[in-house]
Amino acid sequence: MKQNYFLKKSLLLLLFFAFLSCGSDNDYVPIPEPTSPVVVDLAAVPYSKLSDYKFFEGTMKNQVPSLDVLPYEPASQLFTDYAHKKRFVWMPKNKKAVYDGDGKTLVFPVGTALIKTFYYDNVQPNNTIRIIETRVMIRKEEGWIFANYVWNAEQTEATLDPNGSFTEITWREGATIKTANYRIPSSAGGECLTCHKSVDKAIPIGPKPQNLNFAINYGSGSKNQLEKWAEVGYLDNNYPRNIVSTVRWNDTSQPLEKRVRSYIDINCAHCHQEGSHCSYRDMRFAFSETSDISNMGVCMVPVDNVGSGLSHIVAPGSPGRSVMSFRLESVNESTRMPLLGRTIVHEEAVEMINQWISSLDTRCN
């Protein structure tokens, strides 16, 4: 009996040491990290088809981002004839963006791709979803380039089209049926650069710290976007935590003036700033500048006579005498603002801005 006992014990000890030996560093085989399927060959882009980038996994129209393709959204969004947008960012491995100011576009590394898909819900007659276009901005060594991809009717592929076009679309917005002759911009004709430029160099508009400093749902839970970017290695962690931030323009829990300033910033500031398309005008619509409401045109006498009875860019207490209100309500190409990006009126935003103008009690000299 004793002999059997010691034999069993010896066998157990041998098995134990054999197990330890198998787990030694010399025999350890690490499990490789999964790699992103995204392909952004700077010598070959823009590709002829959107699918060539492999930004999305599975059926492309579902817009499920591939590994390392990160969704993002600004607090307030540029109005584009009520189109919805899905935005994503991708960066090469071990590259990250750098903070350069609350209201300045993040400094992105070479190889970055910013992806924005424009689509409509409740498209008539069958209340379907229809994707119109996907715009891609790519950071090359010499600067940013534009690549616009138009989706086919089957919603299976989007093809590079630098020439721009119009597409008629009818959809249900709330309880109202709306129609727009949606404009896909021409990158070859310079329409993209009109808005996306600073001193004649192309730049992104939306991805600024002031616009990203709030939480969104990533599927696994909500997280502040700047924190998420830093967590995944897309943002240098050396950014301030006291960023002065925009708000959602339609969040009625926020002060009216702050909502208006946030809307004006994302829709107008890219042109009305130094070195941009409308820099020759006196208005300065960046969120960091409109805490002084005179920069929004309050009591500013217009240079051009665009309509009778319009006494100021913003006439306190009187939307009917305000050029800002007139231009936002216009669909005429020669008088509407913004110049590009819309063909119909953003009714809810106009109502908000008129409410703000009516609330002003400033006296103009």
Side-chain angles (χ1 to χ4, degrees), residues 49-70:
K49 298 180 298 181
L50 182 62
S51 60
D52 291 339
Y53 296 93
K54 303 188 186 329
F55 289 138
F56 307 104
E57 65 177 38
T59 304
M60 194 166 66
K61 71 177 182 180
N62 294 336
Q63 299 281 284
V64 177
S66 295
L67 181 65
D68 294 341
V69 177
L70 190 66

Short mmCIF file of all heavy atoms in Angstrom, two decimals, residues 49-70:
data_model
loop_
_atom_site.label_atom_id
_atom_site.label_comp_id
_atom_site.label_asym_id
_atom_site.label_seq_id
_atom_site.Cartn_x
_atom_site.Cartn_y
_atom_site.Cartn_z
N LYS A 49 -13.72 53.06 -55.50
CA LYS A 49 -14.90 52.58 -54.78
C LYS A 49 -14.71 52.74 -53.28
O LYS A 49 -13.60 52.55 -52.75
CB LYS A 49 -15.17 51.11 -55.10
CG LYS A 49 -15.47 50.81 -56.57
CD LYS A 49 -15.73 49.33 -56.78
CE LYS A 49 -14.50 48.51 -56.43
NZ LYS A 49 -14.70 47.06 -56.65
N LEU A 50 -15.78 53.04 -52.58
CA LEU A 50 -15.72 53.21 -51.13
C LEU A 50 -15.34 51.90 -50.44
O LEU A 50 -14.61 51.90 -49.44
CB LEU A 50 -17.08 53.71 -50.61
CG LEU A 50 -17.18 53.98 -49.11
CD1 LEU A 50 -16.21 55.08 -48.67
CD2 LEU A 50 -18.61 54.35 -48.73
N SER A 51 -15.80 50.78 -50.99
CA SER A 51 -15.53 49.49 -50.36
C SER A 51 -14.04 49.15 -50.33
O SER A 51 -13.60 48.33 -49.51
CB SER A 51 -16.29 48.38 -51.08
OG SER A 51 -15.92 48.30 -52.44
N ASP A 52 -13.25 49.78 -51.21
CA ASP A 52 -11.82 49.47 -51.27
C ASP A 52 -11.08 49.85 -49.99
O ASP A 52 -10.03 49.29 -49.70
CB ASP A 52 -11.17 50.19 -52.46
CG ASP A 52 -11.62 49.64 -53.81
OD1 ASP A 52 -12.10 48.49 -53.84
OD2 ASP A 52 -11.52 50.36 -54.81
N TYR A 53 -11.63 50.80 -49.23
CA TYR A 53 -10.98 51.22 -47.99
C TYR A 53 -11.20 50.22 -46.86
O TYR A 53 -10.45 50.22 -45.89
CB TYR A 53 -11.52 52.58 -47.54
CG TYR A 53 -11.23 53.74 -48.46
CD1 TYR A 53 -12.16 54.11 -49.44
CD2 TYR A 53 -10.07 54.49 -48.33
CE1 TYR A 53 -11.91 55.19 -50.28
CE2 TYR A 53 -9.83 55.58 -49.17
CZ TYR A 53 -10.75 55.92 -50.14
OH TYR A 53 -10.51 56.99 -50.98
N LYS A 54 -12.28 49.45 -46.95
CA LYS A 54 -12.66 48.49 -45.90
C LYS A 54 -12.93 49.19 -44.55
O LYS A 54 -12.59 48.69 -43.48
CB LYS A 54 -11.59 47.41 -45.73
CG LYS A 54 -11.30 46.64 -47.02
CD LYS A 54 -10.41 45.47 -46.78
CE LYS A 54 -9.97 44.74 -48.06
NZ LYS A 54 -10.89 44.75 -49.17
N PHE A 55 -13.58 50.35 -44.64
CA PHE A 55 -13.95 51.08 -43.42
C PHE A 55 -15.04 50.36 -42.63
O PHE A 55 -15.18 50.56 -41.43
CB PHE A 55 -14.46 52.48 -43.77
CG PHE A 55 -13.41 53.43 -44.25
CD1 PHE A 55 -13.66 54.27 -45.34
CD2 PHE A 55 -12.17 53.52 -43.63
CE1 PHE A 55 -12.70 55.17 -45.79
CE2 PHE A 55 -11.21 54.41 -44.07
CZ PHE A 55 -11.48 55.24 -45.16
N PHE A 56 -15.86 49.55 -43.34
CA PHE A 56 -17.04 48.94 -42.71
C PHE A 56 -16.99 47.42 -42.84
O PHE A 56 -16.49 46.89 -43.84
CB PHE A 56 -18.32 49.48 -43.34
CG PHE A 56 -18.39 50.99 -43.32
CD1 PHE A 56 -18.16 51.71 -44.48
CD2 PHE A 56 -18.64 51.67 -42.15
CE1 PHE A 56 -18.20 53.11 -44.47
CE2 PHE A 56 -18.68 53.06 -42.13
CZ PHE A 56 -18.46 53.78 -43.28
N GLU A 57 -17.50 46.75 -41.84
CA GLU A 57 -17.55 45.30 -41.88
C GLU A 57 -18.96 44.82 -42.21
O GLU A 57 -19.95 45.51 -41.92
CB GLU A 57 -17.07 44.69 -40.56
CG GLU A 57 -17.94 44.99 -39.36
CD GLU A 57 -17.43 44.29 -38.10
OE1 GLU A 57 -16.20 44.22 -37.90
OE2 GLU A 57 -18.29 43.85 -37.30
N GLY A 58 -19.06 43.65 -42.82
CA GLY A 58 -20.37 43.14 -43.20
C GLY A 58 -20.96 43.94 -44.36
O GLY A 58 -20.24 44.52 -45.18
N THR A 59 -22.27 44.00 -44.41
CA THR A 59 -22.97 44.75 -45.46
C THR A 59 -22.68 46.24 -45.28
O THR A 59 -22.99 46.82 -44.25
CB THR A 59 -24.48 44.48 -45.39
OG1 THR A 59 -24.71 43.08 -45.50
CG2 THR A 59 -25.21 45.20 -46.51
N MET A 60 -22.11 46.88 -46.29
CA MET A 60 -21.58 48.23 -46.14
C MET A 60 -22.65 49.26 -45.78
O MET A 60 -22.39 50.21 -45.03
CB MET A 60 -20.83 48.66 -47.41
CG MET A 60 -19.97 49.90 -47.21
SD MET A 60 -18.78 50.17 -48.54
CE MET A 60 -19.85 50.53 -49.92
N LYS A 61 -23.86 49.07 -46.29
CA LYS A 61 -24.92 50.05 -46.03
C LYS A 61 -25.30 50.11 -44.55
O LYS A 61 -25.87 51.11 -44.09
CB LYS A 61 -26.15 49.78 -46.88
CG LYS A 61 -26.94 48.54 -46.48
CD LYS A 61 -28.18 48.39 -47.33
CE LYS A 61 -29.00 47.16 -46.90
NZ LYS A 61 -30.22 47.01 -47.73
N ASN A 62 -24.98 49.07 -43.79
CA ASN A 62 -25.28 49.08 -42.36
C ASN A 62 -24.33 49.95 -41.56
O ASN A 62 -24.57 50.22 -40.38
CB ASN A 62 -25.26 47.65 -41.82
CG ASN A 62 -26.37 46.79 -42.39
OD1 ASN A 62 -27.40 47.30 -42.83
ND2 ASN A 62 -26.17 45.48 -42.41
N GLN A 63 -23.22 50.36 -42.21
CA GLN A 63 -22.27 51.31 -41.60
C GLN A 63 -21.75 50.82 -40.24
O GLN A 63 -21.61 51.60 -39.29
CB GLN A 63 -22.92 52.69 -41.45
CG GLN A 63 -23.35 53.32 -42.76
CD GLN A 63 -22.20 53.95 -43.53
OE1 GLN A 63 -21.72 55.01 -43.19
NE2 GLN A 63 -21.77 53.26 -44.59
N VAL A 64 -21.46 49.54 -40.15
CA VAL A 64 -20.83 48.99 -38.95
C VAL A 64 -19.33 49.18 -39.09
O VAL A 64 -18.71 48.60 -40.00
CB VAL A 64 -21.17 47.49 -38.77
CG1 VAL A 64 -20.45 46.93 -37.55
CG2 VAL A 64 -22.67 47.32 -38.65
N PRO A 65 -18.71 49.99 -38.23
CA PRO A 65 -17.30 50.31 -38.43
C PRO A 65 -16.38 49.11 -38.22
O PRO A 65 -16.60 48.30 -37.32
CB PRO A 65 -17.03 51.40 -37.39
CG PRO A 65 -18.09 51.21 -36.34
CD PRO A 65 -19.29 50.68 -37.07
N SER A 66 -15.35 49.02 -39.06
CA SER A 66 -14.34 47.99 -38.89
C SER A 66 -13.49 48.29 -37.65
O SER A 66 -13.57 49.37 -37.07
CB SER A 66 -13.44 47.94 -40.14
OG SER A 66 -14.17 47.54 -41.27
N LEU A 67 -12.65 47.34 -37.29
CA LEU A 67 -11.75 47.50 -36.16
C LEU A 67 -10.92 48.78 -36.33
O LEU A 67 -10.37 49.03 -37.41
CB LEU A 67 -10.82 46.29 -36.05
CG LEU A 67 -9.81 46.31 -34.89
CD1 LEU A 67 -10.53 46.26 -33.55
CD2 LEU A 67 -8.84 45.15 -35.04
N ASP A 68 -10.86 49.58 -35.29
CA ASP A 68 -10.11 50.84 -35.22
C ASP A 68 -10.76 51.99 -35.98
O ASP A 68 -10.20 53.08 -36.06
CB ASP A 68 -8.66 50.67 -35.71
CG ASP A 68 -7.84 49.77 -34.81
OD1 ASP A 68 -8.26 49.56 -33.64
OD2 ASP A 68 -6.80 49.24 -35.25
N VAL A 69 -11.95 51.77 -36.55
CA VAL A 69 -12.72 52.88 -37.14
C VAL A 69 -13.68 53.36 -36.05
O VAL A 69 -14.57 52.62 -35.63
CB VAL A 69 -13.48 52.44 -38.40
CG1 VAL A 69 -14.34 53.58 -38.93
CG2 VAL A 69 -12.50 51.96 -39.46
N LEU A 70 -13.49 54.58 -35.60
CA LEU A 70 -14.18 55.07 -34.40
C LEU A 70 -15.29 56.06 -34.76
O LEU A 70 -15.03 57.06 -35.44
CB LEU A 70 -13.16 55.75 -33.48
CG LEU A 70 -13.62 56.13 -32.07
CD1 LEU A 70 -13.92 54.88 -31.25
CD2 LEU A 70 -12.55 56.97 -31.38
#
